[in-house]
Amino acid sequence: MSSTQEKSWRAGRFWWDCSQPDNSAHPLRAVIFDLDALSDLDVDGHRVVFNAAFAAHGLPINWGVTRYQQLLALHDERQRVAAELRKRCVGPECDVLTELLADEICMTKDLMFDEMILDAGLAPRPGLEDLVNDAFLAGLPVGVVANGRRRWAEPLVRQLVGDGLVETVVTTDDVSAPGAELYRQALAELGVAGHDALAMAGSAA
């Protein structure tokens, strides 16, 4: 018997009863999703709109799922487009002009995104509806943070989850900077401290 075990035994307690964590210290009071946790926004959303932008510029490029997933290793959309243009030798030979063409395609994609994303046929991730319903029935408020504008993010959340199940949607219209600020704002609107909330994120960030 170790000295620690012996001391616990002499105090009238067995050693395995010592130092048990208090799991009730911070009960779960809210669940916060990012938009990528609700649906595969990259593959089923951004990819589709990029293909429309390529077509709008008269380019014979159509990203399939496998190719787009490869390109996600590049964290910047502009880098993905430029890499594709170079790979296919599409556009001017001058690298500077290729970069400018990539900028134009990305701007076109951004303009088209707001109009197209709600009609892109995005599907909720498997199990999402059951999870949100369970949280709602358990009295746990659900929040969603979106790295995008409210005009399309809020109706997309309703489309994926349903009406009346999400208590707050925080978008880039609500904060001065994206990222962690979105979650801080959601916690503030739900009236919950960070250690009492569970965040579920589908994005690398």
Side-chain angles (χ1 to χ4, degrees):
M1 181 182 292
S2 68
S3 59
T4 301
Q5 294 170 2
E6 184 177 359
K7 289 177 182 176
S8 296
W9 177 78
R10 287 179 178 175
R13 291 161 38 190
F14 294 105
W15 63 271
W16 55 76
D17 291 329
C18 299
S19 303
Q20 295 296 319
D22 183 4
N23 294 324
S24 65
H26 300 296
L28 184 62
R29 294 182 55 206
V31 181
I32 300 174
F33 297 88
D34 77 355
L35 196 52
D36 293 288
L38 302 184
S39 183
D40 195 340
L41 192 62
D42 270 326
V43 171
D44 297 331
H46 290 282
R47 178 184 65 86
V48 172
V49 182
F50 262 120
N51 286 338
F54 290 136
H57 283 267
L59 298 174
I61 299 175
N62 191 285
W63 278 337
V65 173
T66 301
R67 175 59 179 160
Y68 190 74
Q69 288 174 334
Q70 292 172 342
L71 289 167
L72 288 177
L74 302 172
H75 298 296
D76 181 80
E77 289 186 339
R78 182 176 169 277
Q79 290 178 344
R80 296 170 199 159
V81 174
E84 188 69 28
L85 294 176
R86 294 191 187 97
K87 177 178 182 293
R88 294 173 178 250
C89 298
V90 174
E93 294 181 1
C94 176
D95 195 58
V96 173
L97 294 179
T98 300
E99 294 289 338
L100 290 174
L101 178 58
D103 286 340
E104 290 180 10
I105 293 168
C106 288
M107 285 189 291
T108 299
K109 179 259 180 180
D110 289 342
L111 291 172
M112 301 175 78
F113 188 84
D114 289 7
E115 300 297 326
M116 290 187 62
I117 192 60
L118 295 176
D119 297 320
L122 289 170
R125 292 189 185 274
L128 174 68
E129 293 172 300
D130 289 340
L131 180 59
V132 173
N133 281 323
D134 287 347
F136 182 79
L137 293 174
L140 290 175
V142 173
V144 175
V145 298
N147 190 22
R149 305 300 298 273
R150 178 171 296 278
R151 62 175 176 262
W152 62 263
E154 196 166 52
L156 181 59
V157 170
R158 289 197 300 269
Q159 186 181 103
L160 293 169
V161 179
D163 287 321
L165 298 178
V166 173
E167 187 160 321
T168 186
V169 177
V170 178
T171 71
T172 52
D173 293 331
D174 304 310
V175 296
S176 58
E181 286 299 317
L182 292 168
Y183 288 92
R184 293 192 186 99
Q185 181 64 27
L187 289 169
E189 292 187 11
L190 293 172
V192 175
H195 52 64
D196 290 333
L198 174 65
M200 295 189 180
S203 61

